[in-house]
Amino acid sequence: MKNLKLNILAYGMALAGLTACSESFLDVNSITDTTTDNFYKDLVDAEKALIGCYGGWRETTSKGPWPAFYIASQMMSDECFGGGGGSDANCAVLDRFDMSWGPSEVNLYNSLWEYSYLGIYRCNILLQKLDDIDWGDTPDERYRIEGETRVLRALIYFDLVRILGNIPLLTEPSEENVPQADPADVYKVIAEDLLFAANNIPEDAYPKAEADKNDGRITCWAAKALLARVYLYYTGYYGQADLVGVVNQSQVLQGLEDVINSGEFGLVEEFKNLWPAASTTPVGDQEFESTYEGDGNIETVLAQKFNNTTTDWNGNSNNGNRWLTMLGLRSTTHSPYGTGWGQCTVHPKMWNSFDANDTRREASIINLATEGIEYDIADQRDYTGYMNKKYIPLAYADGTNVSGSDFQITQDQDYVVMRYADVLLMAAELGSSKAQDYYNQVRTRAGVSTRTVTKENIMEERFLEFAFEGIRYWDLLRQGVDYAASVINESGVSVVSMGVDTQLTIDGSRISETRGLSRIPDTQIELSDGVLKQNAGW
């Protein structure tokens, strides 16, 4: 497939592009002289190839693509503005859905496209080889490995289909130049992959009690929770009664109840302890006091793992959380908050949306004024006085980057894909008989009084609970594109851009015109010889 070729033979054939990492199960030794013809012999090989698939998923954000899916999700939401510096017109394009801010930015998602399809390729080649592997006396291991691989493929496809809508669908290793698929067909593969994993990954494959060894591994519980997220988005955005005939509401709800009843998960007692920056206080030049619950804590259903090694065994800088650097304080360090590129400045309404007693407000938002932070706004777009606290680089009091010498590629904070709080609120939304209890648990942890559980109150709770976690934009779209457009529309918000007081305006009609979808990279359309078509509104 010409538009998906991407040097796959050179980059991905050996172990489907296995990568190394110094963190838990992602640790592997250097692999050389390995091809698809002499590999995939036994369980050991299959496990290594699976690790390569996890690496492929991580590389959709760690190899340097901008915007990473998380960054795009935040900029397009009503939680954040584009921010960045004077040359970052691409941030304004994303934030305002308007190419006039950067007419040359026609390939914003090209890297995301390339690394996503490389990750999908890795998964497809492992799935294709499963029948060739000698499973010996461990035949059940095949189903675990197949389940994890299929969830990884589903995760990559789910991000792509949400952000671009009309994408090619490949379920086996291929270089064919195929047209974009009907989104329903993509969602069918996603749903079937997640359902397979939910039913076939053993419940005891990765016990929470052993998170120090297996944090980041996909469990049957993660698959069930992700299936609910996909169900809610697909049925809401496309106005369908079920998830392409694969699962219905009652089945999805039962999966969530299974997660809740598993005994594997719970809510961390204090909300701030979910987030490194919110739970950390400097006590010396290079010392912290922290109440952070740690990676793989009881509330984490699934996390995408990163570390602070600058290179893998093949010399590639692909292990760190690169998008985290985008969210750092621009040209400023104020321990525990580290420097970065000042993107995704926080909408002032976010601070005002929380009850004054809601512990999530200070745990989620940096209020530069109340925290006494002097900020250089000379080269900052869309300055509001607020920044995100959940995902931000850490720095010691002496200004040293905590995660490593290169602050751009060594950030190691994991991205929490699914929290137990989300499981509770999705179950409440889907009509659980315990909906009020689930809703109350989330409210009580935040230190606010309970309310009657309703769909409206649940959506408001999601707005507060999951602020700056890359969820809000998709929650808006699944309530209706025009509704999302009306919420994101801005007639004038006071910001400071490049030191100048400015009224920021976002035309919500652009979301209606594009159906909330982003621009297909022009490069991919050209490489396809016109087989790929541009999304409406772009």
Side-chain angles (χ1 to χ4, degrees), residues 449-462:
S449 59
T450 59
R451 298 186 297 181
T452 301
V453 62
T454 64
K455 174 66 177 294
E456 181 180 3
N457 285 345
I458 289 170
M459 297 312 295
E460 181 178 344
E461 205 61 37
R462 294 182 64 82

Side-chain angles (χ1 to χ4, degrees), residues 13 89 99 115 130 145 231 236 252 255 263 268 274 278 311 325 332 415 435 463 469 511 538:
M13 291 293 279
M99 290 298 298
Y115 284 107
L130 290 175
I145 287 177
Y231 171 88
V252 170
V268 164
L274 286 165
T311 60
T325 309
T332 302
Y415 174 55
F463 172 55
E469 296 183 45
I511 298 172
W538 293 101

Side-chain angles (χ1 to χ4, degrees), residues 253-254 256-263 420-421 423-443 450-454 458:
L253 175 57
Q254 183 57 58
L256 293 172
E257 299 284 15
D258 291 344
V259 178
I260 294 167
N261 294 328
S262 70
Y420 182 65
V423 173
L424 292 174
L425 290 179
M426 287 192 294
E429 183 179 347
L430 287 166
S432 170
S433 61
K434 298 180 180 179
Q436 186 68 58
D437 174 51
Y438 297 160
Y439 175 71
N440 289 351
Q441 287 185 45
V442 176
R443 296 275 297 174
T450 59
R451 298 186 297 181
T452 301
V453 62
T454 64
I458 289 170

